[in-house]
Amino acid sequence: MSRPDWDVYFMEIARTVATRATCPRASVGAVIVRDHRLLTTGYNGAPRGTGHCSDVGCMMVAAHCARAVHAEANAIVQGALHGVSLDGATAYCTHQPCAGCSKLLISAGVRKIVFEIAYPDEIATALLSEAGVALMQFSPGHDMHE
């Protein structure tokens, strides 16, 4: 049995985290790591104390679910709730972060984002570039240098 490299390992964890998603529109997972240590996880779902889309339905506004909190935002909130700094960390995301989540990741101090499924957002890409945050599409067998 061969051990997976760090990028494969953390992306597989992000995929597993995505299985907890409660919005039927997409199952998205995110894990934030530093120094090969898992700091936080997040998946898309309703805010704490509110009904899940899977139970009460989505709240659709302009073709987006307004009920669901994005996976990356939930991972950042988990860090805030538990006093875990994300400064200098890497985010592994099943999907490329949107502009809103990209702004949150930048502000939280995340320095690199590795994503699997492209969700092109010109604003997100421009902001990440301006902030010096590396954005890389996951490619098994290619070291993303976590």
Side-chain angles (χ1 to χ4, degrees):
M1 179 174 95
S2 66
R3 293 174 59 190
D5 68 29
W6 289 110
D7 297 313
V8 170
Y9 175 71
F10 288 122
M11 191 57 73
E12 188 61 37
I13 293 171
R15 287 185 203 118
T16 299
V17 170
T19 66
R20 294 279 307 153
T22 61
C23 183
R25 296 183 39 80
S27 292
V28 181
V31 298
I32 302 180
V33 306
R34 186 177 49 240
D35 300 326
H36 301 138
R37 299 288 179 251
L38 184 61
L39 300 174
T40 65
T41 66
Y43 53 86
N44 56 322
R48 181 170 35 176
T50 67
H52 294 290
C53 298
S54 54
D55 296 332
V56 299
C58 294
M59 292 178 153
M60 298 303 295
V61 176
H64 292 281
C65 180
R67 178 181 296 281
V69 177
H70 290 186
E72 302 89 343
N74 272 325
I76 293 166
V77 168
Q78 187 180 75
L81 282 171
H82 299 288
V84 177
S85 170
L86 305 180
D87 195 35
T90 296
Y92 287 85
C93 308
T94 59
H95 295 66
Q96 185 174 348
C98 68
C101 288
S102 292
K103 291 186 283 187
L104 293 173
L105 291 164
I106 292 165
S107 293
V110 169
R111 301 307 307 150
K112 182 167 57 173
I113 300 166
V114 179
F115 67 92
E116 187 165 35
I117 299 168
Y119 182 81
D121 184 322
E122 292 178 16
I123 294 171
T125 302
L127 289 169
L128 291 165
S129 177
E130 182 180 343
V133 176
L135 180 65
M136 306 166 146
Q137 187 159 16
F138 176 71
S139 178
H142 293 87
D143 188 3
M144 304 285 123
H145 301 94
E146 189 285 307

